[in-house]
Amino acid sequence: METIDAIILGIIQGLTEFLPVSSSGHLELGKAILGDHSIPEESLLFTVVLHFATALSTIVVFRKDIWEIISGLLQFKWNEESQFSVKIIISMLPAVFIGLFFEEQLEAFFGGNIRFVGFMLLITAALLYFADKAEDTGKKVSFGNALIVGVSQAIAMLPGISRSGATISTSVLLGVDKSKAARFSFLMVVPLIFGKIAKDLMSGELNFNGDNNFAMGAGFIAAFVAGLAACTWMIQLVRKSKLSYFAIYCLIVGLIAIVYGFVNP
């Protein structure tokens, strides 16, 4: 793997993990543009490295929130922190179910089908457009909301459906305050990322080859730095109701991907 390719894919992962434009969809597009030669034999390991980088950037950005949640849990009371943690667990259930029982079927969508990615980006664009028109309410995420948002997160496992875009948009359309929706969206994915990393590590399928350590390290740093910037920026954009810009972006990229897919089947 070339170091420059690792950095490019790291930046793509870091930015698109938080910006509502679909990280998986853009990685598929990036791989198609860079060519198969840019994807290492240790592709699963590289994916784990990039996801760890973005999870770490989330922890850094929300370090105060995470500490408050941990401190509240250690009180062993049914307080706000405990309720929030239960909501996070509820939101994880649909994605965990899909990951455990439909992993092979899900992987079939990651075979370089650019047209499919394009159509899913159009769905993301529609979600972002309607969510951007909603008004701030001040409402928190309820237990019922958490399950519905969890379903949208599970659907967002498809390439082209933005996880952050789908979960934030779903929350906002359910009447949740935009800032609280963004906070819940970013925190709910951290346990899932670490769970997926643990599952991959225990699978025995990771190929630890020292030849690509430098490239993977460069990709990790690129994803971490890009993730820090994107996460911080995204929180501000949601508060200021700027999601429509990303809706336009997803619409344009989606249409280009569809045309490209038909021209280069």
Side-chain angles (χ1 to χ4, degrees), residues 201-222:
L201 289 174
M202 293 186 294
S203 69
E205 297 178 1
L206 296 181
N207 183 9
F208 293 92
N209 187 336
D211 296 339
N212 284 316
N213 283 348
F214 184 81
M216 287 196 179
F220 173 88
I221 294 173

Side-chain angles (χ1 to χ4, degrees), residues 5-243:
D5 292 338
I7 293 174
I8 292 173
L9 292 176
I11 293 174
I12 291 174
Q13 170 65 25
L15 290 177
T16 57
E17 179 65 37
F18 300 103
L19 299 182
V21 293
S22 177
S23 61
S24 59
H26 276 69
L27 281 176
E28 288 295 301
L29 295 176
K31 291 175 182 179
I33 293 172
L34 293 173
D36 291 339
H37 66 279
S38 67
I39 309 305
E41 294 179 359
E42 302 89 341
S43 58
L44 177 58
L45 176 59
F46 187 59
T47 299
V48 169
V49 168
L50 294 187
H51 279 97
F52 179 70
T54 51
L56 188 60
S57 65
T58 307
I59 292 174
V60 171
V61 173
F62 288 97
R63 58 190 180 279
K64 293 182 180 179
D65 299 78
I66 293 173
W67 177 248
E68 289 178 0
I69 293 171
I70 294 175
S71 299
L73 289 174
L74 292 177
Q75 296 177 13
F76 300 103
K77 297 179 180 179
W78 187 241
N79 51 27
E80 185 175 348
E81 290 77 17
S82 298
Q83 294 176 35
F84 187 84
S85 299
V86 171
K87 293 172 186 177
I88 292 290
I89 294 173
I90 292 174
S91 73
M92 292 167 53
L93 296 178
V96 170
F97 178 79
I98 296 296
L100 290 176
F101 298 103
F102 297 97
E103 184 175 12
E104 292 184 4
Q105 292 85 342
L106 181 64
E107 289 178 352
F109 290 99
F110 290 83
N113 190 339
I114 303 303
R115 279 178 291 179
F116 179 81
V117 172
F119 282 115
M120 294 302 101
L121 282 170
L122 297 186
I123 294 177
T124 296
L127 284 172
L128 294 173
Y129 175 79
F130 288 114
D132 199 51
K133 302 302 179 183
E135 297 181 358
D136 284 333
T137 61
K139 295 182 180 179
K140 300 179 181 179
V141 178
S142 67
F143 291 100
N145 292 156
L147 181 59
I148 297 175
V149 174
V151 172
S152 70
Q153 177 169 246
I155 295 174
M157 296 169 76
L158 295 171
I161 299 291
S162 165
R163 193 209 65 82
S164 63
T167 53
I168 292 174
S169 296
T170 300
S171 298
V172 172
L173 293 173
L174 288 171
V176 177
D177 178 78
K178 291 182 179 179
S179 296
K180 293 181 175 63
R183 176 175 178 266
F184 187 78
S185 172
F186 292 141
L187 289 176
M188 69 187 282
V189 76
V190 174
L192 278 179
I193 291 178
F194 280 112
K196 181 64 167 61
I197 290 174
K199 181 176 180 293
D200 290 335
L201 289 174
M202 293 186 294
S203 69
E205 297 178 1
L206 296 181
N207 183 9
F208 293 92
N209 187 336
D211 296 339
N212 284 316
N213 283 348
F214 184 81
M216 287 196 179
F220 173 88
I221 294 173
F224 176 73
V225 173
L228 282 177
C231 187
T232 305
W233 187 32
M234 184 59 188
I235 295 171
Q236 297 174 353
L237 290 173
V238 173
R239 290 172 179 168
K240 296 178 181 178
S241 298
K242 302 295 184 180
L243 294 179

